[in-house]
Amino acid sequence: MERKAHSVEDESSGGPSRMQDDLKQCSIDFLESLEQGVRAEDTNGSTNGLKSKPRVGIIGAGLAGLRCSEVLVSKGIDTTVLEARDRIGGRVHQGDLFGRLVDMGPSWVHGADGNPIIGRAKETNTTTCSLDDSSLVYDSTGTAMSDEIMVEALDSTWALISAAFKYSKEQCENIAPELSLKDFFSKTLEEQNVSPEKRDITMLIGEIWGSFIGDPWETQSLKWFWLEECLSGDNIFVADTHTKIIQAMAKSLLAHQNLYLSTTVLGIESKKKENGDDIVLVQTSDRVFEFDEVVVTIPLGCLKSNTIAFNPPLTPAITQAIEDSSYSSLEKVFIAFPTAFWEVPSPLAQRDEDTRPDLTSGTPSFVHFLRPTDPIAEGASWTIEAVPLSSSAKFGGLAQPTLLFSIHGPCAAHVTSLLEGLSPNTSEYLSAIIGFFRPYYSLLPNYSPNNPNCQPRAALCSNWRNDKLAGNGSYTNFKASESQVLLDQNILAMRAGMPDRGIWLAGEHTAPFVAVGTSTGAYWSGEAVGVRILKNYKLFGGCTKGDRID
């Protein structure tokens, strides 16, 4: 998720939550929690007669695939990674914005406490920063809310979100599957008998939740809202991208030269050889690979599209889980300016102190543009969030005169349609982005249409919704449905995989509940599957093949 806001530390019941119980259970397969971890120099574990080096194939070189390969290669396991793209990283990918790299996928690390991505950032000297909750909110007329009204409205909104989490956790079994977070807001505000003005403002600010889940908030399941909680601790912004983290994770794999790029997997078949040994065949466009174990880390969206044919088919439980799970459509748009005009006082710009506060003393971490009264495009308008990346106090030497917008759902569909067929380095591409976003950024302090510093010089938009290898989307979320589904059991089914057939699933959709839909979840899922395979072959601690590991 991009900046999930509610963590398990918010628990008030006094006892461990389901999230904490699930994380504790999963942690038996995390290296950090075990006395005897996998180390690079330890490559000759005792096998007690079992195969000492099973051949393992990993489908996908994203965070889950790379972490799984790290764990296995460190034990001397013959590991091969097949990646359909011509690069590693998957959805953790960087784009070039006027000569600077920016993360087109995840930018946030959700919950710093005990988060392995934070450790990898420190190891690779990747700069991160913690943003405060300071905000600027523009209402539907384009007027900046006063501090008093804004604080009251935001506090009311987050209080309702906390109440929704509590209600979802306590009443999950009794909540109708079609009810949404928006429904909860509407009903609660009606019961509180608030003024129509306060109700309207709170409902509009509630739309901000779409930037967390990557879909309109009216799709957010109330029943399964508790699954949106994240790890405790600050949410951390990765200021200079995930590049060095991904490169470090791929180092051991590249050293063994067992990475096949531009290699699309078409089918996976589990069968027995003539001597009775189990085998897994992986069919690509030009050859067949033979493995003892296969780890499938392709995105949930790809599983939903059946991009890989499994023979025999996936189990009914996994098939149902994939069908019932939902996938988001978050996109990111970076717009770079000559200078951060919203921070620099401009004598040319007319400022109304009541509506355009001077931000020279410090730019807020988040700017929320509530759904404009006047349509932006095609008779519609949308609530949008922006993160200014310009504050040297927050981003240090990596500060840049750039606004990072988050869009989703119909808004994202519209923006990406405007860019269809256009190259990012063309004036037509930049003009299309300016045409859509100018009604938003022109509201910022010190903007003047005649000031060259207020004219974007470059822009870049992700396009995950049209990326087949990303599953035509961004990450897992939890949508309301017309029928009863068991989303928690679905995660467990996918997480369990089919070890009896030598097939395992990893990715953010199989992560511990508290990390589903996050880069941390992808990392942990790959690590857990790697450890489980090692346990099955008696290559980890004192575990033996057949011990309970799922």
Side-chain angles (χ1 to χ4, degrees):
M1 308 259 166
E2 283 299 281
R3 197 170 68 88
K4 290 173 74 173
H6 191 88
S7 68
V8 294
E9 68 182 356
D10 297 321
E11 297 291 336
S12 58
S13 61
S17 69
R18 263 194 86 182
M19 295 293 230
Q20 293 166 326
D21 287 340
D22 180 69
L23 181 59
K24 181 178 181 180
Q25 175 61 32
C26 290
S27 70
I28 66 173
D29 295 325
F30 295 163
L31 302 187
E32 298 89 342
S33 66
L34 297 169
E35 295 181 2
Q36 191 170 3
V38 175
R39 306 189 183 282
E41 67 274 12
D42 180 15
T43 60
N44 294 300
S46 171
T47 62
N48 294 331
L50 293 176
K51 295 179 182 177
S52 59
K53 290 187 178 181
R55 298 160 301 168
V56 179
I58 299 175
I59 315 304
L63 268 178
L66 292 177
R67 182 53 182 157
C68 188
S69 72
E70 266 193 316
V71 172
L72 295 172
V73 170
S74 72
K75 266 292 193 177
I77 302 300
D78 183 358
T79 305
T80 300
V81 176
L82 309 177
E83 169 56 54
R85 300 183 190 274
D86 61 359
R87 59 169 178 79
I88 61 174
R91 285 164 285 171
V92 185
H93 176 54
Q94 293 73 46
D96 185 283
L97 179 71
F98 212 70
R100 295 189 64 163
L101 289 181
V102 291
D103 272 324
M104 304 309 293
S107 294
W108 296 88
V109 180
H110 305 292
D113 295 352
N115 197 312
I117 302 297
I118 296 297
R120 300 306 294 252
K122 292 178 180 178
E123 291 171 7
T124 56
N125 294 316
T126 295
T127 302
T128 63
C129 55
S130 177
L131 304 187
D132 58 32
D133 292 329
S134 58
S135 298
L136 176 62
V137 179
Y138 289 95
D139 67 20
S140 293
T141 68
T143 302
M145 288 185 179
S146 67
D147 286 346
E148 181 180 359
I149 294 176
M150 179 187 68
V151 170
E152 181 183 6
L154 288 173
D155 285 349
S156 175
T157 299
W158 292 116
L160 283 172
I161 286 175
S162 294
F165 272 114
K166 184 174 186 294
Y167 181 70
S168 177
K169 284 180 287 187
E170 294 177 352
Q171 299 295 326
C172 179
E173 294 183 359
N174 302 319
I175 299 174
E178 68 273 12
L179 290 180
S180 69
L181 178 62
K182 181 179 180 180
D183 294 327
F184 180 85
F185 266 56
S186 182
K187 183 175 184 295
T188 305
L189 290 171
E190 182 180 351
E191 292 172 348
Q192 293 176 349
N193 197 29
V194 300
S195 68
E197 181 182 10
K198 181 177 180 180
R199 180 193 182 282
D200 291 345
I201 291 175
T202 304
M203 292 297 289
L204 277 172
I205 290 183
E207 294 180 7
I208 294 170
W209 188 256
S211 296
F212 303 135
I213 65 171
D215 271 311
W217 75 317
E218 57 263 29
T219 69
Q220 169 70 67
S221 169
L222 177 61
K223 183 181 183 71
W224 301 107
F225 192 44
W226 63 272
L227 284 169
E228 295 288 357
E229 286 186 316
C230 65
L231 290 167
S232 60
D234 292 339
N235 291 319
I236 304 298
F237 190 87
V238 182
D240 61 353
T241 80
H242 287 73
T243 302
K244 290 182 287 188
I245 296 175
I246 291 295
Q247 290 174 343
M249 291 177 64
K251 185 176 180 181
S252 60
L253 176 67
L254 294 174
H256 288 78
Q257 298 183 336
N258 281 346
L259 171 64
Y260 291 78
L261 297 177
S262 302
T263 302
T264 302
V265 172
L266 304 175
I268 298 175
E269 180 180 7
S270 305
K271 60 186 300 185
K272 286 187 178 293
K273 299 176 70 172
E274 292 183 0
N275 63 3
D277 288 345
D278 294 320
I279 187 174
V280 184
L281 302 179
V282 176
Q283 175 72 58
T284 68
S285 56
D286 59 357
R287 63 175 288 186
V288 176
F289 291 84
E290 183 177 306
F291 301 110
D292 299 303
E293 312 283 342
V294 169
V295 184
V296 180
T297 74
I298 64 174
L300 173 64
C302 293
L303 290 172
K304 293 179 73 68
S305 300
N306 298 309
T307 57
I308 294 179
F310 290 87
N311 183 26
L314 297 172
T315 65
I318 294 178
T319 300
Q320 189 65 53
I322 293 170
E323 180 180 337
D324 290 343
S325 300
S326 54
Y327 203 49
S328 73
S329 58
L330 183 80
E331 303 291 355
K332 300 167 67 174
V333 183
F334 295 86
I335 304 180
F337 295 83
T339 63
F341 67 83
W342 51 90
E343 288 201 47
V344 181
S346 172
L348 299 177
Q350 296 295 319
R351 295 202 307 274
D352 180 340
E353 295 300 329
D354 291 331
T355 61
R356 299 198 177 184
D358 187 352
L359 300 182
T360 305
S361 60
T363 301
S365 298
F366 307 99
V367 181
H368 304 294
F369 302 93
L370 302 188
R371 179 161 39 87
T373 302
D374 297 328
I376 296 293
E378 298 182 350
S381 59
W382 299 279
T383 293
I384 288 179
E385 177 187 86
V387 177
L389 305 180
S390 51
S391 171
S392 58
K394 296 181 175 73
F395 299 98
L398 293 173
Q400 53 183 303
T402 298
L403 298 172
L404 166 56
F405 289 89
S406 297
I407 57 177
H408 57 272
C411 178
H414 175 73
V415 172
T416 53
S417 72
L418 296 175
L419 304 176
E420 186 175 358
L422 300 179
S423 174
N425 58 4
T426 63
S427 59
E428 292 82 3
Y429 184 98
L430 179 59
S431 295
I433 289 181
I434 290 175
F436 180 84
F437 285 96
R438 183 163 46 205
Y440 294 98
Y441 65 70
S442 63
L443 299 175
L444 292 173
N446 308 318
Y447 176 82
S448 171
N450 300 318
N451 186 342
N453 288 329
C454 300
Q455 306 305 313
R457 63 177 182 172
L460 194 60
C461 178
S462 64
N463 194 15
W464 300 114
R465 66 183 300 112
N466 293 309
D467 186 338
K468 290 184 178 179
L469 297 180
N472 299 107
S474 306
Y475 48 77
T476 304
N477 60 13
F478 308 100
K479 294 182 182 178
S481 60
E482 293 300 321
S483 59
Q484 288 286 357
V485 294
L486 300 176
L487 296 186
D488 55 346
Q489 297 303 309
N490 289 341
I491 296 170
L492 296 177
M494 291 188 288
R495 188 190 300 168
M498 300 180 294
D500 57 317
R501 285 170 43 186
I503 296 177
W504 311 75
L505 301 182
E508 47 85 10
H509 49 287
T510 72
F513 294 156
V514 76
V516 170
T518 70
S519 57
T520 302
Y523 183 98
W524 265 339
S525 72
E527 180 170 288
V529 169
V531 170
R532 289 168 67 196
I533 290 174
L534 292 174
K535 288 179 178 180
N536 264 9
Y537 285 85
K538 296 184 179 181
L539 291 170
F540 198 93
C543 297
T544 60
K545 190 173 179 67
D547 283 352
R548 183 179 185 277
I549 56 175
D550 52 4

Coordinates of all heavy atoms in Angstrom, one line a residue, residues 483-547:
S483 N -21.2 -11.4 -2.6 CA -21.4 -12.7 -1.9 C -20.4 -12.8 -0.8 O -19.4 -12.1 -0.7 CB -21.3 -13.8 -2.9 OG -20.0 -13.8 -3.5
Q484 N -20.6 -13.8 0.1 CA -19.7 -14.0 1.2 C -18.4 -14.6 0.7 O -18.4 -15.6 -0.1 CB -20.3 -15.0 2.2 CG -21.4 -14.4 3.0 CD -20.9 -13.4 4.1 OE1 -19.7 -13.2 4.3 NE2 -21.8 -12.8 4.8
V485 N -17.3 -14.0 1.0 CA -15.9 -14.6 0.7 C -15.1 -14.6 2.0 O -15.4 -13.7 2.9 CB -15.2 -13.8 -0.4 CG1 -15.9 -13.9 -1.7 CG2 -15.1 -12.3 0.0
L486 N -14.2 -15.4 2.1 CA -13.3 -15.5 3.3 C -11.9 -15.1 2.9 O -11.0 -15.9 2.6 CB -13.3 -17.0 3.9 CG -14.7 -17.5 4.3 CD1 -14.6 -18.9 4.7 CD2 -15.3 -16.6 5.4
L487 N -11.7 -13.8 2.9 CA -10.4 -13.2 2.4 C -9.2 -13.7 3.2 O -8.2 -13.8 2.7 CB -10.5 -11.7 2.3 CG -11.6 -11.2 1.3 CD1 -11.5 -9.7 1.2 CD2 -11.4 -11.8 -0.1
D488 N -9.4 -13.8 4.5 CA -8.3 -14.2 5.4 C -7.9 -15.7 5.1 O -6.7 -16.0 4.9 CB -8.6 -14.1 6.9 CG -9.9 -14.8 7.3 OD1 -10.7 -15.1 6.4 OD2 -10.1 -14.9 8.5
Q489 N -8.9 -16.5 4.9 CA -8.6 -17.9 4.5 C -8.0 -18.0 3.1 O -7.2 -18.9 2.8 CB -9.9 -18.8 4.6 CG -10.5 -18.8 6.0 CD -9.5 -19.4 7.0 OE1 -8.9 -20.4 6.8 NE2 -9.4 -18.7 8.1
N490 N -8.4 -17.1 2.2 CA -7.8 -17.1 0.9 C -6.3 -16.8 0.9 O -5.6 -17.5 0.2 CB -8.5 -16.0 0.0 CG -10.0 -16.4 -0.3 OD1 -10.3 -17.6 -0.2 ND2 -10.7 -15.4 -0.7
I491 N -5.9 -15.9 1.8 CA -4.5 -15.6 1.9 C -3.8 -16.8 2.4 O -2.7 -17.2 1.9 CB -4.3 -14.4 2.9 CG1 -4.9 -13.1 2.2 CG2 -2.8 -14.2 3.1 CD1 -5.0 -12.0 3.2
L492 N -4.4 -17.5 3.4 CA -3.7 -18.7 4.0 C -3.6 -19.8 2.9 O -2.6 -20.5 2.9 CB -4.5 -19.2 5.2 CG -4.6 -18.2 6.4 CD1 -5.5 -18.8 7.5 CD2 -3.2 -18.0 6.9
A493 N -4.6 -19.9 2.1 CA -4.6 -21.0 1.1 C -3.5 -20.7 0.1 O -2.7 -21.6 -0.3 CB -5.9 -21.1 0.3
M494 N -3.3 -19.5 -0.4 CA -2.3 -19.1 -1.3 C -0.9 -19.3 -0.7 O 0.1 -19.7 -1.3 CB -2.5 -17.7 -1.9 CG -3.7 -17.6 -2.8 SD -3.8 -16.0 -3.7 CE -4.3 -15.0 -2.3
R495 N -0.8 -18.8 0.6 CA 0.4 -18.9 1.3 C 0.9 -20.4 1.5 O 2.1 -20.7 1.4 CB 0.3 -18.3 2.7 CG 1.6 -18.1 3.4 CD 1.3 -17.7 4.9 NE 0.6 -16.4 5.0 CZ 0.0 -16.0 6.1 NH1 0.1 -16.7 7.2 NH2 -0.6 -14.8 6.1
A496 N 0.0 -21.3 1.7 CA 0.3 -22.7 1.9 C 0.9 -23.3 0.6 O 1.8 -24.1 0.7 CB -0.9 -23.5 2.3
G497 N 0.4 -22.9 -0.6 CA 0.9 -23.5 -1.8 C 0.6 -24.9 -2.0 O -0.4 -25.4 -1.4
M498 N 1.4 -25.6 -2.8 CA 1.2 -27.0 -3.0 C 2.5 -27.8 -2.9 O 3.1 -28.3 -3.8 CB 0.6 -27.3 -4.4 CG -0.8 -26.6 -4.6 SD -1.5 -26.9 -6.2 CE -0.3 -26.0 -7.2
P499 N 3.1 -27.8 -1.6 CA 4.4 -28.4 -1.5 C 4.5 -29.8 -1.8 O 5.5 -30.4 -2.2 CB 4.7 -28.1 0.0 CG 3.4 -27.9 0.7 CD 2.6 -27.2 -0.4
D500 N 3.3 -30.5 -1.7 CA 3.3 -32.0 -2.1 C 3.6 -32.1 -3.6 O 4.0 -33.2 -4.0 CB 2.0 -32.6 -1.7 CG 0.8 -31.9 -2.3 OD1 0.8 -30.6 -2.3 OD2 -0.1 -32.6 -2.8
R501 N 3.3 -31.1 -4.4 CA 3.5 -31.2 -5.8 C 4.8 -30.4 -6.2 O 5.1 -30.2 -7.4 CB 2.3 -30.6 -6.6 CG 1.2 -31.6 -6.6 CD -0.1 -31.0 -7.1 NE 0.0 -30.2 -8.3 CZ -0.9 -29.4 -8.9 NH1 -2.1 -29.5 -8.3 NH2 -0.7 -28.7 -9.9
G502 N 5.5 -29.8 -5.2 CA 6.7 -29.1 -5.5 C 6.4 -27.7 -6.0 O 7.3 -27.1 -6.6
I503 N 5.2 -27.2 -5.7 CA 4.8 -25.8 -6.2 C 4.5 -24.9 -5.0 O 3.7 -25.3 -4.2 CB 3.6 -25.9 -7.2 CG1 4.0 -26.7 -8.4 CG2 3.2 -24.5 -7.5 CD1 2.9 -26.8 -9.4
W504 N 5.1 -23.8 -5.0 CA 5.0 -22.8 -3.9 C 4.6 -21.5 -4.5 O 5.0 -21.1 -5.6 CB 6.3 -22.7 -3.1 CG 7.0 -24.0 -2.7 CD1 7.6 -24.8 -3.5 CD2 7.0 -24.5 -1.4 NE1 8.1 -25.9 -2.8 CE2 7.7 -25.7 -1.5 CE3 6.5 -24.2 -0.2 CZ2 8.0 -26.6 -0.4 CZ3 6.8 -25.0 0.9 CH2 7.5 -26.2 0.8
L505 N 3.8 -20.7 -3.7 CA 3.4 -19.4 -4.1 C 4.0 -18.4 -3.2 O 4.0 -18.5 -2.0 CB 1.9 -19.2 -4.1 CG 1.1 -20.2 -5.0 CD1 -0.4 -19.8 -4.9 CD2 1.5 -20.1 -6.5
A506 N 4.5 -17.3 -3.7 CA 5.1 -16.2 -2.9 C 4.7 -14.9 -3.6 O 4.4 -14.8 -4.8 CB 6.6 -16.3 -2.8
G507 N 4.7 -13.8 -2.8 CA 4.4 -12.5 -3.4 C 3.6 -11.7 -2.3 O 3.2 -12.3 -1.3
E508 N 3.4 -10.5 -2.5 CA 2.7 -9.7 -1.5 C 1.3 -10.2 -1.2 O 0.7 -9.9 -0.1 CB 2.6 -8.2 -1.9 CG 2.2 -7.9 -3.3 CD 0.7 -7.8 -3.5 OE1 0.0 -7.9 -2.5 OE2 0.2 -7.8 -4.6
H509 N 0.7 -11.0 -2.1 CA -0.6 -11.5 -1.9 C -0.6 -12.7 -0.9 O -1.7 -13.2 -0.5 CB -1.3 -11.9 -3.2 CG -0.4 -12.7 -4.1 ND1 0.7 -12.2 -4.7 CD2 -0.4 -14.0 -4.4 CE1 1.3 -13.1 -5.4 NE2 0.7 -14.2 -5.3
T510 N 0.6 -13.3 -0.6 CA 0.7 -14.4 0.3 C 1.3 -14.1 1.6 O 1.7 -14.9 2.4 CB 1.5 -15.6 -0.4 OG1 2.9 -15.2 -0.4 CG2 1.0 -15.8 -1.8
A511 N 1.5 -12.8 1.9 CA 2.3 -12.3 3.0 C 1.5 -12.5 4.3 O 0.3 -12.8 4.3 CB 2.6 -10.8 2.8
P512 N 2.2 -12.2 5.4 CA 1.5 -12.1 6.7 C 0.4 -11.1 6.5 O 0.5 -10.1 5.8 CB 2.5 -11.7 7.7 CG 3.8 -12.2 7.1 CD 3.6 -12.1 5.6
F513 N -0.8 -11.3 7.2 CA -1.9 -10.3 7.1 C -1.4 -8.9 7.2 O -1.9 -8.0 6.4 CB -2.9 -10.6 8.2 CG -3.6 -11.9 8.1 CD1 -4.2 -12.5 9.2 CD2 -3.7 -12.6 6.8 CE1 -4.8 -13.7 9.1 CE2 -4.4 -13.8 6.8 CZ -4.9 -14.4 7.9
V514 N -0.5 -8.6 8.1 CA -0.1 -7.2 8.4 C 0.7 -6.6 7.3 O 0.9 -5.4 7.3 CB 0.6 -7.2 9.8 CG1 2.1 -7.7 9.6 CG2 0.6 -5.8 10.4
A515 N 1.1 -7.4 6.3 CA 2.0 -6.9 5.3 C 1.5 -7.2 3.9 O 2.2 -6.9 2.9 CB 3.4 -7.4 5.4
V516 N 0.2 -7.7 3.8 CA -0.3 -8.0 2.4 C -0.4 -6.6 1.7 O -0.8 -5.6 2.2 CB -1.7 -8.6 2.6 CG1 -2.4 -8.6 1.2 CG2 -1.6 -10.0 3.1
G517 N 0.0 -6.7 0.4 CA -0.1 -5.5 -0.4 C 1.1 -4.5 -0.3 O 1.0 -3.4 -0.8
T518 N 2.1 -5.0 0.4 CA 3.3 -4.1 0.6 C 4.6 -4.7 0.1 O 4.7 -6.0 -0.1 CB 3.5 -3.8 2.1 OG1 3.9 -5.0 2.8 CG2 2.2 -3.3 2.7
S519 N 5.6 -3.9 -0.1 CA 6.9 -4.4 -0.5 C 7.5 -5.3 0.6 O 8.1 -6.3 0.4 CB 7.9 -3.3 -0.8 OG 8.0 -2.4 0.3
T520 N 7.2 -5.0 1.9 CA 7.7 -5.8 3.0 C 7.0 -7.2 2.9 O 7.7 -8.2 3.2 CB 7.4 -5.1 4.4 OG1 8.0 -3.9 4.4 CG2 7.8 -6.0 5.5
G521 N 5.8 -7.2 2.6 CA 5.1 -8.5 2.5 C 5.7 -9.3 1.4 O 5.8 -10.6 1.6
A522 N 6.0 -8.8 0.2 CA 6.6 -9.5 -0.8 C 8.0 -10.1 -0.4 O 8.3 -11.3 -0.6 CB 6.8 -8.6 -2.0
Y523 N 8.8 -9.3 0.3 CA 10.1 -9.7 0.8 C 9.9 -10.9 1.8 O 10.6 -11.9 1.6 CB 10.7 -8.5 1.5 CG 12.1 -8.7 2.0 CD1 13.2 -8.3 1.3 CD2 12.4 -9.3 3.3 CE1 14.5 -8.5 1.8 CE2 13.6 -9.5 3.8 CZ 14.7 -9.1 3.0 OH 16.0 -9.2 3.5
W524 N 9.0 -10.7 2.8 CA 8.8 -11.7 3.8 C 8.3 -13.0 3.1 O 8.7 -14.1 3.5 CB 7.9 -11.3 4.8 CG 8.5 -10.7 6.0 CD1 9.8 -10.9 6.4 CD2 7.9 -9.8 7.0 NE1 10.0 -10.2 7.6 CE2 8.9 -9.5 8.0 CE3 6.7 -9.2 7.1 CZ2 8.7 -8.7 9.1 CZ3 6.4 -8.4 8.2 CH2 7.4 -8.2 9.2
S525 N 7.4 -12.9 2.1 CA 6.9 -14.1 1.5 C 8.0 -14.9 0.8 O 8.0 -16.2 0.9 CB 5.8 -13.7 0.6 OG 6.3 -13.2 -0.6
G526 N 8.9 -14.2 0.1 CA 9.9 -14.9 -0.6 C 10.9 -15.6 0.4 O 11.3 -16.7 0.2
E527 N 11.2 -14.9 1.5 CA 12.0 -15.4 2.6 C 11.4 -16.7 3.2 O 12.1 -17.7 3.4 CB 12.3 -14.4 3.6 CG 13.2 -14.8 4.8 CD 13.6 -13.7 5.6 OE1 14.4 -12.8 5.2 OE2 13.1 -13.6 6.8
A528 N 10.1 -16.6 3.5 CA 9.4 -17.7 4.2 C 9.4 -19.0 3.3 O 9.7 -20.1 3.8 CB 8.0 -17.3 4.5
V529 N 9.2 -18.8 2.0 CA 9.1 -20.0 1.1 C 10.5 -20.6 1.0 O 10.7 -21.8 1.0 CB 8.6 -19.6 -0.3 CG1 8.8 -20.7 -1.2 CG2 7.1 -19.3 -0.2
G530 N 11.6 -19.7 0.9 CA 12.9 -20.2 0.8 C 13.3 -21.0 2.1 O 13.8 -22.1 2.0
V531 N 12.9 -20.5 3.2 CA 13.2 -21.3 4.5 C 12.4 -22.6 4.5 O 12.9 -23.6 5.0 CB 12.8 -20.4 5.7 CG1 12.9 -21.2 7.0 CG2 13.8 -19.2 5.8
R532 N 11.1 -22.6 4.1 CA 10.3 -23.8 4.1 C 10.9 -24.9 3.2 O 10.9 -26.1 3.6 CB 8.9 -23.4 3.7 CG 8.1 -22.6 4.7 CD 6.8 -22.1 4.2 NE 5.9 -23.1 3.9 CZ 4.8 -23.0 3.1 NH1 4.6 -21.8 2.5 NH2 4.0 -24.0 2.9
I533 N 11.4 -24.4 2.1 CA 12.0 -25.4 1.2 C 13.3 -26.0 1.8 O 13.5 -27.2 1.8 CB 12.4 -24.8 -0.2 CG1 11.1 -24.5 -1.0 CG2 13.3 -25.7 -1.0 CD1 11.3 -23.7 -2.3
L534 N 14.1 -25.2 2.5 CA 15.3 -25.7 3.2 C 14.9 -26.6 4.3 O 15.5 -27.7 4.5 CB 16.1 -24.5 3.7 CG 16.7 -23.6 2.7 CD1 17.4 -22.4 3.4 CD2 17.8 -24.3 1.9
K535 N 13.8 -26.3 5.0 CA 13.4 -27.2 6.1 C 12.9 -28.6 5.5 O 13.2 -29.6 6.1 CB 12.2 -26.6 6.8 CG 12.6 -25.4 7.7 CD 11.3 -24.9 8.4 CE 11.7 -23.7 9.4 NZ 10.5 -23.2 10.0
N536 N 12.3 -28.5 4.4 CA 11.8 -29.8 3.8 C 13.0 -30.7 3.4 O 12.8 -31.9 3.3 CB 11.0 -29.5 2.5 CG 9.5 -29.5 2.8 OD1 9.1 -29.6 4.0 ND2 8.7 -29.5 1.8
Y537 N 14.1 -30.1 3.1 CA 15.3 -30.9 2.7 C 16.3 -31.0 3.9 O 17.5 -31.3 3.6 CB 16.0 -30.3 1.5 CG 15.2 -30.6 0.2 CD1 14.1 -29.8 -0.1 CD2 15.5 -31.7 -0.6 CE1 13.3 -30.1 -1.3 CE2 14.7 -32.0 -1.7 CZ 13.6 -31.2 -2.0 OH 12.9 -31.4 -3.2
K538 N 15.9 -30.7 5.1 CA 16.8 -30.8 6.3 C 18.0 -30.0 6.2 O 19.1 -30.3 6.6 CB 17.2 -32.3 6.5 CG 16.1 -33.3 6.8 CD 16.6 -34.6 7.1 CE 15.5 -35.6 7.4 NZ 16.1 -37.0 7.7
L539 N 17.8 -28.8 5.5 CA 19.0 -27.9 5.4 C 18.9 -26.7 6.2 O 19.6 -25.7 6.0 CB 19.1 -27.5 3.9 CG 19.5 -28.6 2.9 CD1 19.3 -28.1 1.5 CD2 20.9 -29.0 3.2
F540 N 18.0 -26.7 7.2 CA 17.8 -25.5 8.0 C 17.6 -26.0 9.5 O 16.6 -26.7 9.8 CB 16.6 -24.7 7.6 CG 16.6 -23.3 8.1 CD1 17.1 -22.3 7.3 CD2 16.1 -23.0 9.3 CE1 17.2 -21.0 7.8 CE2 16.1 -21.7 9.8 CZ 16.6 -20.7 9.1
G541 N 18.4 -25.5 10.4 CA 18.3 -25.8 11.8 C 18.1 -27.3 12.0 O 18.8 -28.1 11.4
G542 N 17.2 -27.7 12.9 CA 17.0 -29.1 13.3 C 15.8 -29.7 12.6 O 15.4 -30.8 13.0
C543 N 15.2 -28.9 11.7 CA 14.0 -29.4 11.1 C 14.2 -30.6 10.1 O 15.3 -30.7 9.5 CB 13.3 -28.3 10.3 SG 12.8 -26.9 11.4
T544 N 13.3 -31.4 10.0 CA 13.3 -32.6 9.1 C 12.2 -32.5 8.1 O 11.2 -31.9 8.4 CB 13.3 -33.9 9.8 OG1 12.1 -34.0 10.5 CG2 14.5 -34.0 10.8
K545 N 12.4 -33.2 7.0 CA 11.3 -33.2 6.0 C 10.1 -33.9 6.6 O 10.1 -34.9 7.2 CB 11.8 -34.0 4.8 CG 10.8 -33.9 3.6 CD 11.4 -34.6 2.4 CE 10.5 -34.5 1.2 NZ 10.3 -33.2 0.7
G546 N 8.9 -33.2 6.5 CA 7.7 -33.7 7.0 C 7.3 -32.9 8.3 O 6.1 -33.0 8.7
D547 N 8.2 -32.1 8.8 CA 7.8 -31.2 10.0 C 6.8 -30.2 9.5 O 6.8 -29.8 8.3 CB 9.1 -30.5 10.5 CG 10.0 -31.3 11.3 OD1 9.6 -32.5 11.6 OD2 11.1 -30.9 11.7

